[in-house]
């Protein structure tokens, strides 16, 4: 059985550490992303108070009446802003939609960058003003943490430390607040209906703020499912397909899923908040020359981040 390497790393040792500490962090995250695609991160810049406030707001949002939530589902945005209702997203290769509903918040450009015109506005929740301010604060803090993590990854890959900086500044990142709703009648479920079918993320890296219940599992290299559990305030960070393409599979976009709870817990909700760190849509995802050799031939066609995102949104049913 293969060893599952999910180290717990302190981001502060990369941001403020000695040269030796910074190199150790970079080596550790690179090794884990090469082997399992997952790490957990401490000292990431989000206080427990902010995380608790976020989850309070998220729970209140999804407790709103269905007719209120439905008015925030905007046709034509492919779920990229505002509310997406139940039975809308289907994992690639699955026929039954995931058992979830979600709300997505995108980039807020504040520095006059003309890219602002290419992004739809975020949807404001009239009934819950604090939701809008809290999620914006969380978005910016996770974006900052993600930028530092990408710098550590750049060093591991032998790239300039700031390789990703201009690509993710004002990037197309998404903060998703998720509600895996109670399963009131388990016997009525199709056999393959799960909270989140096995999938890989589309983006560069994903930063997940815990969850209100267990259920996240990753697929190991020996093809077994392994539960991923974070300490209370840690972030779970994993590689997405864009980074896998860019590194010609040197860094691993690991298949993961959210399984249904034991039957006696099915009437409980589960909440989670992942941040999908995307670059600007113009970023070239052509595999880095340094990741291609005789033992590792080029695996992917050349594509931009925007083209790849569009392709994947169609595959999972969010875009027609």
């Amino acid at each position: 059985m293969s060893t599952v390497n999910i180290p717990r790393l302190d981001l502060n040792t990369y941001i403020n550490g000695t040269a030796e500490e910074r190199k150790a962090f970079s080596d550790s995250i690179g090794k884990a992303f090469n082997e399992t695609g997952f790490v957990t991160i401490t000292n990431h810049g989000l206080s427990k108070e902010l995380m608790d406030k976020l989850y309070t707001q998220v729970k209140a949002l999804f407790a709103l009446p269905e007719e209120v939530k439905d008015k925030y589902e905007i046709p034509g945005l492919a779920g990229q802003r505002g509310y997406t209702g139940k039975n809308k997203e289907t994992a690639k290769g699955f026929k039954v939609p995931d058992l979830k509903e979600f709300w997505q918040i995108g980039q807020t450009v504040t520095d006059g960058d003309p890219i602002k015109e290419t992004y739809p506005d975020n949807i404001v929740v009239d009934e819950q003003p604090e939701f809008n301010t809290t999620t914006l604060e969380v978005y910016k803090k996770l974006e900052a943490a993600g930028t530092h993590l990408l710098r550590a990854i750049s060093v591991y890959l032998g790239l300039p430390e700031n390789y990703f900086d201009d690509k993710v500044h004002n990037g197309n990142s998404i903060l998703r607040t998720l509600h895996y709703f109670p399963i009131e009648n388990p016997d009525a479920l199709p056999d393959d209906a799960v909270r989140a079918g096995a999938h890989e993320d589309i983006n560069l890296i994903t930063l997940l703020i815990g969850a209100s219940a267990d259920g996240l599992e990753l697929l190991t290299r020996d093809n077994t499912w392994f539960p991923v559990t974070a300490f209370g305030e840690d972030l779970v960070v994993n590689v997405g397909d864009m980074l896998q393409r860019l590194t010609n599979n040197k860094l691993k976009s690991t298949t993961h899923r959210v399984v249904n709870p034991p039957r006696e817990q099915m009437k409980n909700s589960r909440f989670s908040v992942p941040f999908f760190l995307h670059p600007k849509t113009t970023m070239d995802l052509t595999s880095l020359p340094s990741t291609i050799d005789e033992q590792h031939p080029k695996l992917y066609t050349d594509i931009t981040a925007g083209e790849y995102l569009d392709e994947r949104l169609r595959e999972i049913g969010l875009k027609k």
Side-chain angles (χ1 to χ4, degrees), residues 33-319:
F33 279 175
N34 180 273
E35 293 176 2
T36 60
F38 274 79
V39 298
T40 63
I41 297 292
T42 67
N43 287 323
H44 40 67
L46 279 76
S47 66
K48 182 177 188 307
E49 179 187 22
L50 177 58
M51 294 164 79
D52 289 346
K53 185 163 73 167
L54 172 68
Y55 270 97
T56 298
Q57 293 295 319
V58 168
K59 290 173 183 178
L61 173 80
F62 290 112
L64 290 170
E66 296 295 327
E67 62 270 16
V68 173
K69 291 184 288 189
D70 287 345
K71 75 178 183 180
Y72 292 116
E73 187 156 10
I74 313 299
L77 286 186
Q80 297 306 287
R81 301 291 185 275
Y83 179 65
T84 297
K86 300 167 184 173
N87 302 317
K88 295 291 176 66
E89 183 175 89
T90 304
K92 181 179 176 181
F94 285 71
K95 293 185 167 53
V96 178
D98 289 345
L99 303 174
K100 67 189 183 192
E101 58 181 338
F102 56 89
W103 183 287
Q104 296 204 151
I105 298 102
Q107 185 62 261
T108 302
V109 178
T110 58
D111 59 2
D113 188 333
I115 199 170
K116 177 181 174 68
E117 302 306 314
T118 69
Y119 293 137
D121 290 337
N122 280 311
I123 309 299
V124 174
V125 186
D126 297 330
E127 294 79 5
Q128 233 180 299
E130 202 175 348
F131 176 85
N132 311 302
T133 54
T134 301
T135 51
L136 175 60
E137 183 181 359
V138 169
Y139 186 109
K140 290 301 180 187
K141 286 185 181 295
L142 289 174
E143 188 175 42
T147 300
H148 286 298
L149 291 169
L150 286 174
R151 288 174 184 166
I153 292 165
S154 297
V155 172
Y156 173 76
L157 292 171
L159 300 168
E161 186 184 29
N162 64 352
Y163 176 83
F164 288 99
D165 283 16
D166 64 338
K167 299 169 179 63
V168 298
H169 174 69
N170 288 334
N172 194 26
S173 298
I174 291 289
L175 182 71
R176 173 182 277 196
T177 68
L178 267 164
H179 177 217
Y180 299 99
F181 47 81
I183 301 167
E184 300 291 352
N185 184 5
D187 294 328
L189 284 181
D191 290 342
D192 52 354
V194 293
R195 286 186 155 174
H199 65 284
E200 299 80 42
D201 292 341
I202 300 170
N203 41 289
L204 290 170
I205 56 174
T206 300
L207 294 80
L208 173 70
I209 304 178
S212 64
D214 292 339
L216 177 63
E217 298 182 345
L218 70 83
L219 189 63
T220 68
R221 288 195 171 179
D222 63 359
N223 216 36
T224 58
W225 289 102
F226 182 84
V228 181
T229 305
F231 290 85
E233 288 100 59
D234 290 3
L235 299 179
V236 177
V237 182
N238 65 275
V239 176
D241 281 351
M242 289 185 183
L243 189 56
Q244 177 172 266
R245 288 183 79 103
L246 185 72
T247 63
N248 198 42
N249 281 14
K250 180 177 177 67
L251 302 185
K252 185 177 174 59
S253 176
T254 302
T255 303
H256 54 285
R257 66 185 183 183
V258 178
V259 295
N260 296 337
R263 192 179 180 94
E264 65 275 10
Q265 297 174 27
M266 283 189 172
K267 290 190 177 179
N268 299 332
S269 287
R270 180 184 190 270
F271 300 90
S272 72
V273 183
F275 179 73
F276 301 117
L277 198 156
H278 283 260
K280 296 183 173 84
T281 57
T282 52
M283 181 181 177
D284 183 4
L285 297 180
T286 299
S287 296
L288 297 163
S290 60
T291 64
I292 302 167
D293 57 29
E294 280 189 22
Q295 287 75 40
H296 307 92
K298 185 178 176 185
L299 298 170
Y300 299 105
T301 55
D302 300 346
I303 198 168
T304 66
E307 290 166 342
Y308 185 62
L309 175 62
D310 188 72
E311 177 185 300
R312 290 291 302 277
L313 288 176
R314 294 178 194 281
E315 287 176 345
I316 62 177
L318 291 180
K319 197 165 188 175

